[in-house]
Amino acid sequence: MEDKNAGLRTLWLILAVDLVITAIEFGGWFFSKSLLLGSNFFSGNYDAVLVTLNIWGLKQENQGHSRAANRIAWWSDVALATGCLIILILGAHAALKNDEVLTRGWLIPAIGFFAGAVNLACAFAIDAHSSINAQSARLKFYVGSAIGFGTGTNGLVILLFNLPKLDAVISALLALGVILAVIRRLNIQKEQEGLQELSRVSQVLSMRAR
């Protein structure tokens, strides 16, 4: 029990750190007009929602499947796809404009690398052996770390070679990739829910037959 409580406290602390990083990414998006940092901001919000679900799942892990958890996960995915659709539209529009789309471009690599490093530290701080929800949360921070380091690297290329439009192009492609990934995950979840419902009905019929 103490190990589980320690795992919960760790996830709550890491969630707070994630929200701080997400706020920094929002500030970077606001001041630099970088759609890459805007994409990171939406992804950070999504991760915060999912880590919150993992905290809930860690509490409920031994109490069976929860339909409410599935619904919340579904709507959080839809919210992510909606945010990425906005980024996709803004990115396509910015890429077609003739004027530059960035200010304070140095914020992109600075915040990107910083967010990547913090997410990686958070991933290592999670005890992945404690539960499946802890493993899920750790995976999210590994992904966040990869996105952060990728943003930092692209930001350096944009800054060093004076290619502000690359920010819009990469942001649009990243948003499209996330939207496709969300659609794929929702389809998988739908199939899993169907199988779970069949299993539940089978169990009920089996109990009645006895």
Side-chain angles (χ1 to χ4, degrees), residues 18-34 36-45 107 111 115:
D18 182 60
L19 290 174
V20 171
I21 296 299
T22 300
I24 293 174
E25 288 170 339
F26 175 79
W29 178 28
F30 179 81
F31 287 110
S32 71
K33 312 303 180 187
S34 167
L36 272 174
L37 293 179
S39 300
N40 286 11
F41 167 69
F42 281 111
S43 297
N45 279 305
L107 286 172
I111 294 178

Side-chain angles (χ1 to χ4, degrees), residues 46-57:
Y46 176 63
D47 285 344
V49 171
L50 293 188
V51 171
T52 302
L53 288 177
N54 286 138
I55 292 173
W56 181 27

Side-chain angles (χ1 to χ4, degrees), residues 44-104:
N45 279 305
Y46 176 63
D47 285 344
V49 171
L50 293 188
V51 171
T52 302
L53 288 177
N54 286 138
I55 292 173
W56 181 27
L58 188 58
K59 293 179 179 179
Q60 306 295 327
E61 201 160 279
N62 296 322
Q63 299 181 15
H65 177 71
S66 172
R67 292 184 179 180
N70 276 343
R71 291 301 92 198
I72 293 174
W74 193 89
W75 281 110
S76 68
D77 280 5
V78 171
L80 172 67
T82 301
C84 286
L85 178 61
I86 295 173
I87 292 293
L88 176 61
I89 294 172
L90 292 175
H93 180 263
L96 295 175
K97 290 173 63 178
N98 293 323
D99 52 339
E100 293 187 356
V101 296
L102 293 179
T103 59
R104 300 181 180 88

Side-chain angles (χ1 to χ4, degrees), residues 5-16 55 122 125-127:
N5 289 335
L8 283 172
R9 288 194 295 270
T10 299
L11 284 180
W12 278 117
L13 177 60
I14 289 175
L15 176 60
I55 292 173
C122 289
I126 297 174
D127 181 8

Side-chain angles (χ1 to χ4, degrees), residues 138-161:
R138 188 178 193 183
L139 176 62
K140 292 177 181 67
F141 283 104
Y142 275 134
V143 172
S145 176
I147 292 175
F149 285 125
T151 297
T153 302
N154 288 321
L156 278 180
V157 173
I158 293 168
L159 188 63
L160 294 176
F161 295 95

Side-chain angles (χ1 to χ4, degrees), residues 168-190:
V169 173
I170 294 175
S171 299
L173 292 176
L174 177 63
L176 179 60
V178 172
I179 290 171
L180 294 176
V182 167
I183 292 174
R184 180 176 179 276
R185 204 208 68 77
L186 289 179
N187 286 333
I188 292 174
Q189 178 177 327
K190 186 176 181 180

